[in-house]
Structures are given as C-alpha cells and as structure tokens.
Amino acid sequence: MCLAVPGRVLDIREKDGTRMATVDFGGVQKEVCLEYLPDLQVGEYAIVHVGFALQRLDEESARQTLELFAQLGMLQEEFGDPWEQAAAQAGADSPWPFADEPAVAAPQEEAQP
C-alpha cells in the first residue's frame, strides 16, 4: 500500500533543474520533489505521496497523522526494509536465507611447480 504521509521539510535544493527537499517522516528521511508546491519552505509540513509533496499541512495535523500511522504500524509498512517485508509476506524469518550460516571460504588453488 502506498500512503500519502505528512513530513517536515528539512532542506531545499535544486537537482537537475528540479526543486527537491529532504523530508522527515517521523524519523525516516527521504528525498522529495517539491515541484507541485513551489513556495513550500524549510520547516513546513506537506503530505507526500510516491516522492512528491502534494499539499501543505499544519504541524498539529501532521503530528496527529504520524502518531496514528505509527500506532497502526503503517509507517513501518511504508518505510521499512522492502527485503524484510517481502520475506515476511513469503513466510520466511529473514530475507537472507543463509544469514545465520557460517561463511565458507572458496577452495584455494594449489601452486603449480
């Protein structure tokens, strides 16, 4: 599921002619395009969907929404490790099936006389 998540703008810059920002979503930081909100400023909140800031939001509404999403586990679902999510959906304990096994060194070739 892809949520529209509120986040706080930490910095703004131009990247390849596009207005971009680092946005904090309750501890997770992502790069976001600001082209739909050209007057958004550092410190303001916006609703972000698939990497695009779509609508300005006041701080209290953003905080309440982030708290609700966190309680429902939706932030982990949205921002968690995609490999772990896929493994969980497949019923595996780990996305790395051999992570708990000791590493095996490759056999060494014998020197030729």
Side-chain angles (χ1 to χ4, degrees):
M1 170 180 15
C2 287
L3 298 173
V5 181
R8 182 174 180 266
V9 176
L10 300 178
D11 66 45
I12 298 173
R13 67 200 165 285
E14 191 169 306
K15 181 177 178 183
D16 299 324
T18 302
R19 194 162 184 259
M20 302 293 291
T22 302
V23 176
D24 179 68
F25 301 95
V28 176
Q29 295 180 5
K30 298 281 185 177
E31 186 174 59
V32 171
C33 178
L34 300 182
E35 289 297 304
Y36 294 133
L37 295 174
D39 60 339
L40 194 66
Q41 300 297 315
V42 171
E44 291 186 303
Y45 289 80
I47 293 177
V48 177
H49 181 63
V50 294
F52 291 86
L54 301 177
Q55 180 179 348
R56 184 175 277 105
L57 188 65
D58 65 274
E59 183 176 358
E60 182 60 22
S61 296
R63 186 189 59 75
Q64 289 175 356
T65 303
L66 285 170
E67 285 177 11
L68 178 61
F69 284 177
Q71 289 172 4
L72 296 173
M74 297 173 88
L75 289 179
Q76 178 63 26
E77 181 179 322
E78 186 70 13
F79 296 121
D81 183 333
W83 295 105
E84 287 179 6
Q85 291 172 17
Q89 289 174 355
D93 292 333
S94 168
W96 315 111
F98 306 109
D100 296 331
E101 296 179 15
V104 177
Q108 299 293 323
E109 290 185 26
E110 291 184 25
Q112 298 293 328

